[in-house]
Amino acid sequence: MIRSWTNVVAYLIANSSDRRFSLRLAVRAFIGMLLFVPMIATPSETRLNLTQGVTEISGKVYDLHMLIFYICCAIGVVVFGVMFYSIIRHRKSRGVKAAHFHESTKVEILWTIIPIIILVLMAIPATKTLIAMEDTSQDDLTITVTGSQWKWHYRYFNHDVAFYSFLTTSQKQIEGSEQKGEHYLLEVDNPLVVPVNRKIRFLMTSDDVIHSWWVPDFAVKKDAVPGFINEAWTKIDKPGIYRGQCAELCGRNHGFMPIVVQALPEDEFDTWLAKQEQMAAAKKAEQEKALGKTLSMDELMALGEKVYNDRCAVCHQVNGEGMANVFPAMKGSPIATGDLLQHIDIVINGKTGTAMQAFANQLNEEELAAVVTYERNAWGNDTGDAVQASDIKQVLTNGTLPDENNAQANTQSSSSSETNATPDTSVTSNSKATPETMDSQPEAQ
């Protein structure tokens, strides 16, 4: 935009016979360019510039950005100043004739050395900032960040605390039938909670495709790559809620993968963390207790529908019809209406080479049982199968359903009985041994 504007100005000056008009136009153009610079360079109040953030590193990144920006502005002022001076001083209307020359060793040396010096001066602070950004040593807290389509999973090292973070913006807002909220597409059910004034190390990876964990206020943007672990860190200066997004195109719902971080004072964070550990222990005990419960079909269907709409409908759709050539339909699916064990297995372990994720670590046994039951009985599938949490536990432990275990046990028992019965009839015999019977024994054996 600036380049095309200056080209127009240069053309008008060069072809103008009025010296005063040329001077006025040049001065106004120059002043306009100078006024445009502070508008961009204004701190974080404007959306045209970087945020100064709330960490030491984000401040360094901002300062580095502004330093480079001002250097570029200075270069622009010098270059455009010389250009406008030359255009006005040597314009055609004055009868000036262009000189003819082809090379100048001195000029070539100058325009090589000067840029090198500028680049070196820019590289020194840039290198210091980059080294500081990559120094994850001496951390106070380590958090694993795992991306998957389309959610984040957080796990606190040395603490029994882990959870998923999902978008909570309603479907009606996304479809436009409801007014968009203040934090449209930037709100989640479970924000990442961290302390201020402590160095936090992030270990980032992915379960499926490449994601990128980006929070501008921390100056942290790091790719989460399947099979690799990348590191980043932050140390937040003041409490607050900070928002970000996945910054790597990761599939159909890439735009629905927000990040929300809540920074608490240190004592409040310690209290929160202790409470989360207690809740995790209570939840685990509750899940163990649920293994002995038998839910009715109505209870399974109600819970299954909720789980399906939260976790599965984004791909397979609420109506179970999927998306042609992208996500298979569950309505009338050979998986949902076929072998029960195969259906459970694919929900638990996922399917390699497809977008189907493994839900064994995302849902508890009761939720897994309910969603399988729902898929097998919704949309007219009507298999009549009711899966319980104990069935899922059995599959997770032994890879088989309880009925199959009983069938296998009965088969093994029958086979064992037949095997044991055969030697008894041949060995225990009341008849006397004769040459004929002795000759026939090897054949029987």
Side-chain angles (χ1 to χ4, degrees):
M1 181 180 72
I2 295 176
R3 183 177 179 181
S4 60
W5 171 61
T6 53
N7 287 342
V8 172
V9 173
Y11 175 81
L12 293 173
I13 293 174
N15 290 275
S16 174
S17 58
D18 187 345
R19 182 180 181 184
R20 291 183 179 179
F21 172 77
S22 300
L23 288 172
R24 287 198 303 269
L25 187 60
V27 170
R28 289 174 181 176
F30 191 70
I31 292 174
M33 185 178 68
L34 293 178
L35 291 175
F36 184 73
V37 169
M39 184 178 72
I40 294 181
T42 303
S44 56
E45 286 80 6
T46 175
R47 296 175 66 89
L48 298 177
N49 201 5
L50 291 181
T51 175
Q52 290 179 291
V54 292
T55 68
E56 181 183 356
I57 286 295
S58 65
K60 289 182 177 180
V61 170
Y62 178 83
D63 292 340
L64 175 64
H65 161 72
M66 295 310 301
L67 173 63
I68 304 302
F69 178 76
Y70 288 133
I71 290 174
C72 292
C73 289
I75 293 172
V77 169
V78 172
V79 171
F80 286 117
V82 172
M83 184 184 75
F84 286 132
Y85 172 80
S86 300
I87 290 172
I88 296 170
R89 183 70 178 173
H90 305 290
R91 67 187 184 279
K92 183 180 180 180
S93 61
R94 295 189 61 193
V96 177
K97 293 183 178 180
H100 296 280
F101 61 91
H102 295 285
E103 63 257 341
S104 172
T105 303
K106 291 181 180 179
V107 171
E108 291 180 357
I109 291 174
L110 282 175
W111 73 34
T112 301
I113 292 177
I114 292 176
I116 289 176
I117 293 173
I118 294 173
L119 289 173
V120 170
L121 292 176
M122 292 166 65
I124 292 173
T127 302
K128 290 181 179 179
T129 302
L130 287 172
I131 291 174
M133 291 176 70
E134 296 298 324
D135 181 16
T136 59
S137 61
Q138 299 180 343
D139 60 286
D140 300 307
L141 177 67
T142 299
I143 299 174
T144 300
V145 180
T146 305
S148 59
Q149 296 174 314
W150 289 274
K151 54 188 173 293
W152 296 101
H153 180 264
Y154 302 110
R155 183 167 67 87
Y156 294 73
F157 263 48
N158 301 322
H159 301 280
D160 190 17
V161 176
F163 53 85
Y164 283 90
S165 183
F166 290 90
L167 172 73
T168 56
T169 299
S170 69
Q171 191 64 32
K172 290 183 179 180
Q173 289 186 32
I174 296 172
E175 294 171 351
S177 59
E178 187 177 278
Q179 185 177 1
K180 293 177 173 55
E182 180 184 0
H183 302 297
Y184 175 69
L185 297 184
L186 290 175
E187 50 195 350
V188 299
D189 54 355
N190 295 313
L192 175 64
V193 180
V194 296
V196 298
N197 301 323
R198 292 183 189 174
K199 187 171 183 178
I200 305 161
R201 181 175 64 143
F202 299 110
L203 301 180
M204 301 183 185
T205 187
S206 170
D207 282 337
D208 37 46
V209 299
I210 299 176
H211 302 276
S212 186
W213 200 82
W214 174 48
V215 180
D217 284 311
F218 303 162
V220 173
K221 180 183 178 295
K222 188 68 71 171
D223 283 353
V225 183
F228 293 87
I229 296 178
N230 287 328
E231 291 184 294
W233 70 275
T234 191
K235 187 175 182 181
I236 305 169
D237 296 333
K238 57 182 181 179
I241 296 177
Y242 308 102
R243 303 177 191 273
Q245 293 172 298
C246 176
E248 186 71 33
L249 186 60
C250 58
R252 175 176 176 265
N253 281 0
H254 161 66
F256 306 127
M257 199 171 168
I259 300 161
V260 179
V261 180
Q262 183 178 6
L264 298 176
E266 293 181 80
D267 54 345
E268 291 184 23
F269 172 78
D270 292 337
T271 302
W272 175 87
L273 190 61
K275 184 177 179 181
Q276 292 299 309
E277 289 180 309
Q278 293 174 0
M279 290 173 61
K283 187 176 181 180
K284 188 177 294 184
E286 185 179 342
Q287 290 175 4
E288 290 294 328
K289 186 178 179 181
L291 294 177
K293 291 169 57 179
T294 300
L295 300 182
S296 67
M297 177 64 81
D298 290 340
E299 291 173 323
L300 288 169
M301 291 295 287
L303 177 59
E305 182 178 15
K306 180 180 182 303
V307 174
Y308 179 88
N309 290 338
D310 289 344
R311 303 297 182 92
C312 312
V314 66
C315 296
H316 299 292
Q317 305 301 297
V318 174
N319 58 12
E321 295 180 359
M323 298 180 65
N325 302 320
V326 182
F327 301 114
M330 297 305 298
K331 182 179 180 180
S333 164
I335 296 293
T337 59
D339 181 66
L340 176 57
L341 181 60
Q342 183 183 5
H343 188 178
I344 295 174
D345 179 72
I346 199 170
V347 172
I348 289 175
N349 299 314
K351 188 174 182 180
T352 305
T354 71
M356 180 60 192
Q357 304 172 22
F359 284 89
N361 295 324
Q362 300 186 37
L363 303 173
N364 59 44
E365 288 88 349
E366 190 174 60
E367 292 170 330
L368 288 168
V371 76
V372 171
T373 301
Y374 179 76
E375 291 174 349
R376 297 184 71 81
N377 292 281
W379 317 297
N381 289 344
D382 299 332
T383 63
D385 294 326
V387 183
Q388 299 296 335
S390 57
D391 299 329
I392 299 296
K393 184 67 173 180
Q394 184 74 27
V395 174
L396 289 170
T397 305
N398 300 324
T400 58
L401 289 167
D403 291 344
E404 293 182 349
N405 285 340
N406 294 334
Q408 289 179 3
N410 292 335
T411 302
Q412 292 174 359
S413 177
S414 300
S415 175
S416 176
S417 299
E418 292 175 2
T419 304
N420 292 333
T422 302
D424 290 344
T425 55
S426 60
V427 174
T428 57
S429 175
N430 293 327
S431 60
K432 294 181 180 179
T434 62
E436 290 80 1
T437 57
M438 291 178 65
D439 291 340
S440 64
Q441 282 181 8
E443 294 180 4
Q445 291 173 353

